[in-house]
Amino acid sequence: MATTVHEPPKIDLDRLPSQGSGNGGWRNLTPAGGDLRQVKHSSPPPASTGIWVGLAAITMSFAAFTSAMIVRQGSAQDWHHFTLPPVLYLNTLVIIASSVTLELARRRIATFMSAPKDQAKSRENPAHWLYITLFLGLLFVAGQTFAWMQLRSQGFGLASNVSYSFFYVLTVAHALHVSGGLGGLVRVIWKLNKSDLRRSTLDATSRYWHFMGVLWLYLLLLLWMKL
């Protein structure tokens, strides 16, 4: 009886994991020309998943604050309504402008990173749009700090009234999250200057920052209606 011998499958050595490599066990996928910018567009699933999980957690936290505020206002006899500091409205324009400049930076960086290496050198580095975004973010936090100081100078501290307490809790919590976004922007600028920026890092930072802008619009409307 004849026996059929099957030829063993061929193994593509270029797709085998590399021992001791520092990028998750896979071989370095650097193109022959050595231009690392061409491989920065791969978006690892953990980065995309992580940012959405983080945004969901932040949403739930502020939803809990909102629910507590509405319930407390309904049951409080001493709820004190007050006029919001005008600087908060100026801050709204600042954070909207920062989202615009960040989106301009993201699009220009994508074009810059995808260009051939010889042409990229002649292109303008889009990092200055990131610096503008960073400055606007710092200006936003400074404006929030000014609003807190203004209220305290008028005698409206954290423990003055339950309505002031909610104002401080919501605005301070948001400012702390904005500060985290500023740290993300610094990281993006640092990686861009080192030509080691991944698209996943830039996209995650952009989503987070835009979310902070939308969240502030929601908080401002909530504070204006309830306080």
Side-chain angles (χ1 to χ4, degrees), residues 5-66:
V5 179
H6 297 280
E7 182 180 357
K10 294 182 179 180
I11 300 176
D12 188 356
L13 296 179
D14 290 335
R15 299 182 61 86
L16 287 178
S18 174
Q19 299 295 331
S21 62
N23 51 358
W26 291 95
R27 287 183 178 272
N28 185 10
L29 300 180
T30 306
D35 188 2
L36 292 176
R37 295 171 297 114
Q38 299 298 330
V39 299
K40 300 302 181 184
H41 291 279
S42 59
S43 179
S48 179
T49 303
I51 191 61
W52 288 118
V53 170
L55 295 183
I58 296 173
T59 301
M60 294 175 62
S61 298
F62 280 92
F65 288 143
T66 302

Side-chain angles (χ1 to χ4, degrees), residues 81-176:
H81 293 275
F82 64 95
T83 303
L84 297 177
V87 69
L88 297 183
Y89 301 103
L90 178 61
N91 260 5
T92 302
L93 298 178
V94 170
I95 200 168
I96 291 175
S98 68
S99 288
V100 173
T101 56
L102 180 56
E103 189 62 21
L104 290 174
R106 189 183 67 82
R107 296 186 179 186
R108 282 163 171 74
I109 289 172
T111 303
F112 176 80
M113 301 295 279
S114 61
K117 189 175 181 180
D118 54 345
Q119 296 182 11
K121 291 182 178 180
S122 61
R123 291 178 178 268
E124 182 182 4
N125 192 314
H128 67 279
W129 288 105
L130 292 175
Y131 284 113
I132 295 175
T133 305
L134 182 63
F135 170 77
L136 292 174
L138 292 172
L139 187 61
F140 176 85
V141 175
Q144 299 296 81
T145 304
F146 178 79
W148 303 328
M149 295 175 60
Q150 186 178 13
L151 287 178
R152 286 183 61 86
S153 66
Q154 297 173 0
F156 304 138
L158 179 64
S160 299
N161 185 272
V162 64
S163 59
Y164 293 106
S165 299
F166 275 105
F167 172 82
Y168 282 108
V169 168
L170 290 172
T171 56
V172 170
H174 179 265
L176 290 175

